[in-house]
Amino acid sequence: MTAETYILVSKNHQPPHRVDVTYSTFPDGDTHCLIKDLPAIKDCDVLIVHSLYPAQNNQLIKLFLLLGLLHDEGVKSVNVCVPYLPYARQDRRHVSGEAVSIDTICRLLTSMGCAQLYTFDCHFMKGASTVTRNGLIIRNFSLGPLLISYCRRKIGHPGIDILSPDIGAQYLTGGDKSMHKKRGSYAALDSGDSYRHIAALKSDHIAIAHDTVVLVDDMISTGSTMLHAIENLRARGIKHIYCAVTHGLFIADCYEKLAALTEETIFSDTVSHINALPFVDVQLATQIIPNWLRK
Ligand code: R5P
């Protein structure tokens, strides 16, 4: 999808039309948010389509400014579509005293007038479903089936094992083969970094029948999970490895590392990238917008 923010506006459930939002930056770094065509949004239901990644903190402020503006202009309702929801991995407390960050994000969105959030493969939701978290209705869609059918077509023969690198991503495969991943404790929190390294990743309990394996996960961030999983499969003699994920964040040089070790890394355009598969706009048109208009 495009990294641009836009809003869709609809009156009385009629087909929506698009209204542009313009962001600019003041010399001191403050963000400026503008809708030029204000009459177009009067008394309308609004769906904001906005990317929250990269630069998630900055992108959140942009979203909050837009929600504030729509509130001031008295629109009828506001829903938001963010294809990738950052902070969703901070959905529980691993050590005492740390913030459950996604709860704060949900609380802020609710208090800013967002009634429903549409997203894809939200980390804590595990499949197409709806939850209410801190007053915010989150409607989650899964790209797992699309990723897998794309891989099957691409590979072109039935001799494939489809695995997830951890139990949390098993829902994406539609099967029951997942590796066991164990994260360690936080390293270096005092130095300003927070990361829990992978302590172990095992697949001995899984029978692998073919020499082509597709590893399916919700996301690649540092690439550490996939790199451990690939190493594990190589040690078992698997020749052809594909990675398929919904969200490709590709921190540092992990995209290049994965490209060197796999047949292909396949990912959707919930985060924009030149090699991303264009899934989001189709899902918006066929799933999200019809759902929003039914409300
Ligand atoms: C973890 O539970 C997720 O499903 C992903 O496996 C993980 O977040 C990927 O992160 P990284 O690429 O840094 O290993």
Side-chain angles (χ1 to χ4, degrees):
M1 75 165 246
T2 160
E4 272 172 10
T5 302
Y6 61 91
I7 60 177
L8 295 173
V9 299
S10 163
K11 242 183 196 167
N12 305 321
H13 307 270
Q14 292 305 301
H17 64 277
R18 178 181 161 141
V19 173
D20 291 330
V21 179
T22 309
Y23 287 106
S24 51
T25 310
F26 288 102
D28 62 357
D30 285 356
T31 298
H32 181 261
C33 171
L34 176 74
I35 293 175
K36 289 188 187 134
D37 190 3
L38 275 186
I41 66 173
K42 198 102 200 110
D43 302 322
C44 284
D45 294 300
V46 174
L47 177 69
I48 300 175
V49 182
H50 180 71
S51 167
L52 283 180
Y53 198 88
Q56 59 271 53
N57 296 342
N58 203 26
Q59 291 302 101
L60 278 165
I61 289 293
K62 285 183 174 174
L63 179 56
F64 294 141
L65 296 181
L66 179 54
L67 284 165
L69 171 60
L70 294 171
H71 174 265
D72 292 346
E73 294 304 324
V75 297
K76 214 165 138 202
S77 72
V78 186
N79 287 199
V80 174
C81 171
V82 291
Y84 166 62
L85 180 60
Y87 290 101
R89 288 184 294 173
Q90 294 170 51
D91 64 322
R92 70 189 74 165
R93 197 159 275 127
H94 298 286
V95 293
S96 157
E98 73 177 344
V100 180
S101 308
I102 193 62
D103 280 335
T104 300
I105 304 295
C106 291
R107 210 173 287 135
L108 284 166
L109 287 168
T110 305
S111 65
M112 295 296 306
C114 170
Q116 282 194 119
L117 186 86
Y118 292 99
T119 193
F120 296 99
D121 290 311
C122 171
H123 184 70
F124 57 81
M125 290 183 65
K126 313 298 176 209
S129 55
T130 302
V131 295
T132 302
R133 188 148 186 156
N134 283 46
L136 181 68
I137 300 167
I138 305 175
R139 287 194 192 279
N140 185 48
F141 294 82
S142 181
L143 297 182
L146 282 178
L147 287 168
I148 288 172
S149 54
Y150 178 90
C151 289
R152 286 197 184 282
R153 276 200 311 278
K154 173 107 202 171
I155 295 166
H157 63 77
I160 310 168
D161 279 276
I162 298 181
L163 317 179
S164 59
D166 58 37
I167 193 97
Q170 191 174 295
Y171 77 93
L172 284 158
T173 66
D176 59 0
K177 290 184 177 177
S178 72
M179 296 179 169
H180 287 159
K181 180 172 87 177
K182 200 168 171 302
R183 284 206 186 265
S185 44
Y186 279 116
L189 272 179
D190 290 340
S191 72
D193 290 331
S194 48
Y195 185 68
R196 295 190 304 129
H197 290 274
I198 294 172
L201 192 147
K202 295 188 175 153
S203 73
D204 330 344
H205 58 290
I206 305 175
I208 300 178
H210 306 98
D211 72 352
T212 299
V213 168
V214 181
L215 286 163
V216 187
D217 205 350
D218 60 337
M219 64 193 292
I220 293 172
S221 175
T222 64
S224 172
T225 299
M226 284 302 193
L227 291 168
H228 275 81
I230 291 165
E231 191 181 286
N232 185 294
L233 292 175
R234 289 276 182 243
R236 293 184 62 170
I238 307 299
K239 288 201 184 72
H240 308 290
I241 303 173
Y242 292 77
C243 294
V245 299
T246 298
H247 313 294
L249 273 54
F250 302 121
I251 309 303
D253 60 353
C254 80
Y255 182 75
E256 290 72 21
K257 281 187 185 154
L258 290 168
L261 293 170
T262 59
E263 302 294 324
E264 192 171 336
T265 298
I266 290 150
F267 52 101
S268 87
D269 60 344
T270 56
V271 173
S272 89
H273 186 289
I274 190 159
N275 294 329
L277 296 173
F279 286 169
V280 170
D281 283 345
V282 178
Q283 293 297 304
L284 256 170
T286 58
Q287 308 282 337
I288 295 178
I289 294 172
N291 183 291
W292 166 59
L293 289 177
R294 271 201 300 275
K295 294 291 124 206

